[in-house]
Each structure stands twice: as C-alpha cells, then as structure tokens.
Amino acid sequence: MDEFQQENNGRVVEISKKRFFITISVLILIVIAAWFGFNSIVGSTMGIDSAAPQSMDVMSNSDSIIFNPFPSNNRQDSLEDTREFMKTSYNGAIQTRDVSAVVIKVQETVRALDGRVDSINSSEKSGYISFVIPKSDLFEFKYRIEQLTHKKLYVENISSTNLLNQKQGIENRTLTAEERLAELEQEKEDLNIAHTARINSLQNQIASAEENLSSFQMLLSNIDPEFVSEKEIIQSQIDSTIQTLSNLRQAKTNENNSYNSQSNSLLTQIENAEENIDNLIEEDDDFTENIETVAGTVNVRWVSLWKMAEEFSPIPMSINAIILLLIVWKILQKIKFIPRFRFV
C-alpha cells in the first residue's frame, strides 16, 4: 500500500502515523517560530515615540507598575514627633485606540477640577500629561479618568510620603531666625541705653566745663591789672578749661559717630532677619499649599486590536488560535473543501 492512498470518492486520505507525527512536529516548530516573530513585530509597532517622556515605560507591564516619585531620604526614624504631612502623587496609564482624544479629555478633567496642566506630549501612538490638582478632588479625578477606558486597559498608582523632615527644617530655621532677631533687637536696645548714658555724662561734663569757663572769664575781667601773677594763673585755668571742653565735645562727636555706625549696622541686620523670617513664613505657606495638592501624570498609549484581544480573552491567544484553526478545519471538511485523514 502506498504511503498516501486516496479512496475512490476522493475525500478521504490515508496517511501513515510516522509521517503524520513528523509533519505535525515540523508544523508546530514553524508555528512557534512564527508566533514569536509576530509578537516581536507587534511589540515594535506598538513602540512609543522617541520624543515622549521615558515615564511612558510604565505601560510595558500593566499588571505591575512601580513608581518612586519621592526621594528615599525623607525618613523620620524618631517617634517623638508624630505629625503627618502627607504629600500625594498620582500616576495613571491608559491604553486606547484614540490617543489624541484621551489626552484632550484628561486635560479637560484636570481643568474642570481647578487643576493646572504643566506639560503635554501627544502623538498618534502615545501621549503624556503632567498636572497638579487639589488633594480634595483626587477621588473625583480618579473616577473621571477610570471612565475614559475599560478597567483592563487602565492602571494607576497613588503614593504618599510624610514630609515631616521638610516641615521640621522650616520650623527649626524659623526658630533660629526668630532667636537671632531677638538678639539683634536686644543689642540695639542695649546700644541705645549705653549711648544715652554716655551722651548724658558727656553733656553734663560739658555744661560743668562751660560754667567753669564762664566763671574764670568773669574773674579774669574783674581782677586788678596790677596782679599779673594772679591773672596768669586764671588765664592758665581758662586755657585748660577750653581744652577740656574741646576734648569733651570731640568725645561727644566720636560717640555719636560710633553710635550711628553701630546702630545702622544693627538696623540692617534686623531688617535682614525680619526679611528672612518673612521668607520662611512664605516657605511654610508654600509647603502647606504643596501638601494640599496632588502632582500627577497620565501616560496614554495606543493599543492594537490584537493586544486588546489578549487583554480581554480569558485564555491565552495561542490556544484561541488553535481552537479557531480546528473550527475552520472542521468547517472545510464539512463542506468537503479539504479531505479527511485516516491513520494507517
């Protein structure tokens, strides 16, 4: 009997088992090679644009996304301060057949919730939106984004970290600035007191010297010209008093100059310290505002029909292909388009 023998009706073919299994093995190898080649082509056609941010890579595995939006040094090991200042970050990834439409809808959602769009990147195959929204609207935003696609084509990650260290840093710097301001104000007050005391003392000495000078001058004018020696003594006292007055007035001038210099320096330092405190208050306000907002990104990626079929199919696509092939085979045999085989 020949290895392939066709019956008279022409619709049944007898084939040897050995030849059949060899043929099937070769076909399986060909199918496997074709399968991997097809997946490689599909993967390359679904690649993102080079201009899109690298964070689009999160779409490469929709079942496992890891985001790390916060630095790892925000640790607070001590339990003495149990306050929490949680900063929240949102990252979403959407697969869709219409990237541009989804990008526009995400922008509209952000703005409808009084948020701010910081950057947009959109092309035929990929899109990226970064934004900021109020923390109080986060769950409303999540709900609206989830409505843009099927849950199997959407994945999100919401992470929070306690910025207690940053808050403590602001508080410590504010306390140091306030202490420095208090020191400077005390120095200024002490300087004013000391200056006032020195000026009062010098003024009293000047008044006393002027009074003495006036007395000596009057005495000199009333003394008899014949008393030459007495006149010389009084003149000497007048000259000495004049010199003393000059020294006292110069000391007063020097004191005022020194005071003005020190006072201006302290006033400048006080002004800088007050400005520093104002900046720290503003920084603390910015910190509070930052805590009450959510920084987020949404990555949008085009998805092929084949990929969608993979996502929604309850069984692997390879098994689906085999089942479809068997159904087509049976239909073709039913209509007698191909022969039936019988092992011998």
Side-chain angles (χ1 to χ4, degrees):
M1 182 182 296
D2 293 336
E3 196 168 9
F4 293 90
Q5 181 179 353
Q6 187 173 357
E7 295 186 357
N8 293 334
N9 57 16
R11 307 316 301 166
V12 177
V13 174
E14 293 182 348
I15 183 172
S16 67
K17 293 181 179 179
K18 178 178 179 182
R19 183 64 176 269
F20 174 78
F21 287 117
I22 292 175
T23 303
I24 291 298
S25 299
V26 172
L27 289 175
I28 290 174
L29 292 176
I30 293 173
V31 169
I32 291 174
W35 174 259
F36 282 107
F38 178 76
N39 279 343
S40 176
I41 294 173
V42 170
S44 63
T45 59
M46 291 178 61
I48 61 174
D49 292 349
S50 60
Q54 292 187 359
S55 57
M56 287 290 292
D57 292 340
V58 300
M59 292 293 300
S60 61
N61 186 352
S62 60
D63 295 328
S64 177
I65 295 183
I66 299 176
F67 299 93
N68 185 24
F70 302 109
S72 60
N73 58 356
N74 281 333
R75 295 183 55 190
Q76 178 61 30
D77 296 327
S78 174
L79 287 175
E80 294 180 0
D81 192 343
T82 58
R83 295 176 298 168
E84 294 183 355
F85 301 93
M86 305 304 295
K87 175 60 180 177
T88 302
S89 176
Y90 168 92
N91 299 91
I94 298 174
Q95 298 182 82
T96 180
R97 294 285 295 169
D98 191 347
V99 172
S100 298
V102 171
V103 170
I104 292 173
K105 289 178 181 178
V106 172
Q107 296 178 61
E108 293 174 346
T109 300
V110 170
R111 295 185 175 118
L113 296 175
D114 297 325
R116 182 187 72 236
V117 176
D118 290 331
S119 66
I120 304 170
N121 186 294
S122 181
S123 67
E124 182 181 355
K125 293 296 180 77
S126 65
Y128 173 85
I129 308 98
S130 66
F131 57 89
V132 177
I133 59 173
K135 183 185 287 186
S136 58
D137 292 328
L138 175 59
F139 290 102
E140 175 65 19
F141 176 81
K142 276 168 41 65
Y143 172 77
R144 296 191 185 188
I145 294 299
E146 288 169 359
Q147 307 309 306
L148 298 181
T149 188
H150 192 276
K151 62 181 181 179
K152 286 183 175 291
L153 301 177
Y154 166 77
V155 64
E156 69 178 24
N157 178 279
I158 299 176
S159 55
S160 298
T161 190
N162 188 4
L163 301 184
L164 176 59
N165 279 0
Q166 186 175 336
K167 178 66 173 179
Q168 289 175 331
I170 296 173
E171 292 173 341
N172 291 337
R173 283 183 281 122
T174 301
L175 178 61
T176 300
E178 291 174 343
E179 290 175 347
R180 179 55 180 162
L181 176 60
E183 291 174 357
L184 291 170
E185 290 175 338
Q186 186 61 50
E187 288 182 29
K188 182 67 169 64
E189 183 178 352
D190 293 342
L191 177 65
N192 291 341
I193 293 173
H195 171 68
T196 301
R198 285 193 290 268
I199 289 297
N200 289 338
S201 175
L202 288 170
Q203 192 60 46
N204 290 335
Q205 295 178 61
I206 290 172
S208 177
E210 288 176 341
E211 184 179 349
N212 292 336
L213 177 61
S214 179
S215 298
F216 290 141
Q217 288 174 340
M218 184 177 294
L219 182 61
L220 181 62
S221 64
N222 294 329
I223 195 170
D224 192 326
E226 295 180 358
F227 300 123
V228 177
S229 59
E230 286 81 353
K231 290 180 65 176
E232 290 178 351
I233 292 173
I234 294 173
Q235 184 62 50
S236 175
Q237 291 175 330
I238 290 174
D239 293 341
S240 176
T241 303
I242 291 175
Q243 183 61 46
T244 299
L245 271 172
S246 177
N247 291 340
L248 290 172
R249 287 167 179 162
Q250 184 62 46
K252 182 180 178 181
T253 300
N254 292 341
E255 170 60 26
N256 285 329
N257 291 338
S258 175
Y259 167 77
N260 290 334
S261 176
Q262 295 181 66
S263 178
N264 290 336
S265 176
L266 287 172
L267 288 174
T268 300
Q269 295 180 65
I270 288 172
E271 182 180 349
N272 292 338
E274 290 174 340
E275 183 178 355
N276 187 29
I277 291 175
D278 290 340
N279 291 337
L280 288 168
I281 292 174
E282 183 177 352
E283 182 179 351
D284 189 57
D285 291 340
D286 292 341
F287 174 84
T288 302
E289 182 179 352
N290 181 45
I291 292 300
E292 295 304 319
T293 60
V294 175
T297 62
V298 173
N299 296 280
V300 185
R301 188 168 182 176
W302 180 83
V303 60
S304 67
L305 293 175
W306 180 265
K307 184 65 176 179
M308 290 181 66
E310 285 186 328
E311 291 287 350
F312 288 96
S313 176
I315 58 178
M317 290 301 294
S318 57
I319 297 179
N320 284 334
I322 294 174
I323 293 174
L324 179 62
L325 180 62
L326 291 176
I327 292 174
V328 172
W329 183 275
K330 286 297 184 182
I331 292 174
L332 292 177
Q333 284 187 334
K334 190 73 173 177
I335 64 176
K336 297 182 180 181
F337 185 79
I338 60 174
R340 298 180 181 179
F341 292 92
R342 183 170 61 199
F343 295 112
V344 295

